[in-house]
Amino acid sequence: MTLGYMPGFGNDFETEAAPGALPQGQNSPQRCAYGLYAEQLSGSPFTAPRGTNERSWLYRIRPSVRHTSRFRRVEVPFWKTAPHIVDHGLPLGPLRWDPVPMPNEALTFVTGLRTMTTAGDVYTQVGMAAHVMLVTASMVDDYFYNADGELMVVPQSGELLFFTELGRIKVGPGEIAVIPRGMKFKVELVDGPVRGYVCENYGAKFTLPERGPIGANCLANPRDFKTPVAAFEEKETACRLTVKWCGTFNTCEIGHSPLDVVAWHGNYTPYKYDLRTFSPVGALLFDHPDPSIFTVLTAPSGEAGTANIDFVIFPERWMVAEHSFRPPWYHMNIMSEFMGLIYGQYDAKETGFVPGGMSLHNCMLPHGPDKPAFDKASFSELKPVKLTGTMAFMFETRFPQQLTEFAARLPGLQDDYPECWNGLDRNFDPARPEWPAPGARAGE
């Protein structure tokens, strides 16, 4: 199977899987080619400003009203939705987890999500949820769409094939896929089980951050985002469609595949992005810029500069700042940060934070480099150093992230995580402004 993609972020695309299936010069002709039905999928209100108006016109074998029937409520017990506040008994504090082991049972993309945190309120379309993704089985005759928000998928091991209404996307470690709110899809394994992370965005959809004084280039460049070409599944067998709506899961039986879009045009689309194409910008002389400089995508809120979600990565890059502490500095901030590691080492935590692991630092909780990282950064020779083979990321939100019962009870929750800062003791000596003493290192 050859996968085709069209480059660009937020473009108005057009594509057809059968010649002449896409109408020209109008959206809704009296009779569509091949006997197809015209249907619009809107991701924004009709009256949204042109720059934020999102919609695609789909030309499909059956209209979506035939892809649903009488729903019945089903339980997906480990996928939680905000507001979800439970009395798990854990006190406030920084948290870190080992990777969640791959299970032996058959789990699809839907049944294999395990919610770690929720934030905000799905009923008012603000906030997010952070999930662990454990997939051991393909969705064959099962299909899904999420009416609660868009899904950002971040694989950590293994590859997935997303077959959406608008085409196919294959994604693996070092890449992300984003599936819009309300878009039907199924997920298939490419070669064995998959573990990773998912950010469920209840608010305004992800977009590229403004670059400001950086100008027109660097960070995530629009041309590196890939949207699939049209592909459809013509299957007349018993199938099931599950819909997530306001935290509930509802399933109906249908006699065909809902992935029957033969042609489409518009700007409301799924897409993938290779995180290794991110062009970092950093300090060329001294000090460390704010980590916001590594923002790939942002979901804005109603308050300028304060995101509903920021998706931030820490990729390979050169460290060249002179007479400066190079790792992320110690800080407290108003945002709540859920971090994961896709591969390699994170420079502020070289041990304990491993690929597939996670950490959570909520609003106004202090965090920063552990003791070994502090010592290494304080006393190493400041020559140019390239951080290689590393990719960490952060789901950052303005809302407090509430822990689920699953996350609180995970055996991989590291009880000793706060001890990584032990040893960051007093060095202050009012009689000796030079630190450390000549010929000595701190702590000697």
Side-chain angles (χ1 to χ4, degrees), residues 209-217 219:
E210 299 297 338
R211 291 192 180 102
I214 295 172
N217 304 291
L219 307 185

Side-chain angles (χ1 to χ4, degrees), residues 155-177:
Q156 184 268 318
S157 64
E159 291 183 309
L160 292 173
L161 180 66
F162 285 82
F163 195 160
T164 77
E165 291 180 279
L166 271 54
R168 299 183 180 95
I169 293 175
K170 187 168 73 170
V171 63
E175 300 175 308
I176 62 169

Side-chain angles (χ1 to χ4, degrees), residues 42-45 81-83 119-129 146-150 181-182 200-205 244-246 268 299-302 307-309 397-399:
S42 295
S44 64
T81 303
D121 186 346
V122 73
Y123 299 105
T124 55
Q125 296 186 339
V126 295
M128 57 157 280
N146 190 349
D148 287 345
E150 66 179 337
R181 184 195 307 257
E200 184 179 10
N201 172 23
Y202 308 141
K205 68 185 294 292
K244 180 175 185 287
W245 180 84
C246 290
Y268 192 62
S301 71
N308 182 65
I309 308 170
T397 177
R398 65 181 301 183
F399 301 102

Side-chain angles (χ1 to χ4, degrees), residues 167-192:
R168 299 183 180 95
I169 293 175
K170 187 168 73 170
V171 63
E175 300 175 308
I176 62 169
V178 175
I179 310 298
R181 184 195 307 257
M183 185 160 291
K184 305 176 190 73
F185 65 92
K186 70 176 181 180
V187 184
E188 300 170 323
L189 296 173
V190 176
D191 186 18

